[in-house]
Amino acid sequence: MLKISVVEGRTQRRLVLEGRLIAPWVAELRTEWKRVRSELDGRELVIDMENVIAMSQEAENTLLEMMDEGARFRCNGVLTKHVLQQLMRRRKKNPLQPGTGDQKGSK
């Protein structure tokens, strides 16, 4: 199970995730992320993952997409720190931004 809470601030909007970030809840996260992203009004988006206890590959791909869209992350545990570090490495290896139309290997 995954609980998603939205914490409103003057300079940021925070999505607080608690529980298991696996199917079918990854789809729920994507829906909520798209909703709050459209209502940022100049604030930054922070994904708080301090209470996430498990993650699927689909979740990692979603988090990578969120990184590409400019979301910042807050984490505390060994699992989430490790996963976010790995995602940052993946992002540096393949710096293509979504929606650019570029594909790896094309000119």
Side-chain angles (χ1 to χ4, degrees), residues 26-70:
V26 174
E28 195 172 314
L29 171 61
R30 290 180 71 79
T31 300
E32 188 65 12
W33 166 54
K34 289 176 182 180
R35 185 188 69 78
V36 299
R37 186 179 62 178
S38 69
E39 302 168 354
L40 285 176
D41 297 324
R43 296 175 289 178
E44 72 176 341
L45 178 60
V46 177
I47 312 301
D48 185 331
M49 299 180 54
E50 289 188 9
N51 294 307
V52 171
I53 58 173
M55 242 180 286
S56 68
Q57 182 64 51
E58 178 186 11
E60 290 181 22
N61 294 339
T62 298
L63 295 175
L64 185 58
E65 189 176 333
M66 292 169 127
M67 280 181 187
D68 288 341
E69 293 288 328

Side-chain angles (χ1 to χ4, degrees), residues 88-96 104:
M88 289 300 288
R89 286 186 187 117
R90 275 177 54 190
R91 189 172 180 222
K92 287 178 183 175
K93 286 181 184 177
N94 186 13
L96 295 179
K104 194 173 184 177

Side-chain angles (χ1 to χ4, degrees), residues 68-85:
D68 288 341
E69 293 288 328
R72 291 191 38 228
F73 292 82
R74 180 178 177 190
C75 64
N76 196 21
V78 174
L79 168 68
T80 52
K81 282 183 181 181
H82 174 73
V83 168
L84 289 174
Q85 286 173 345

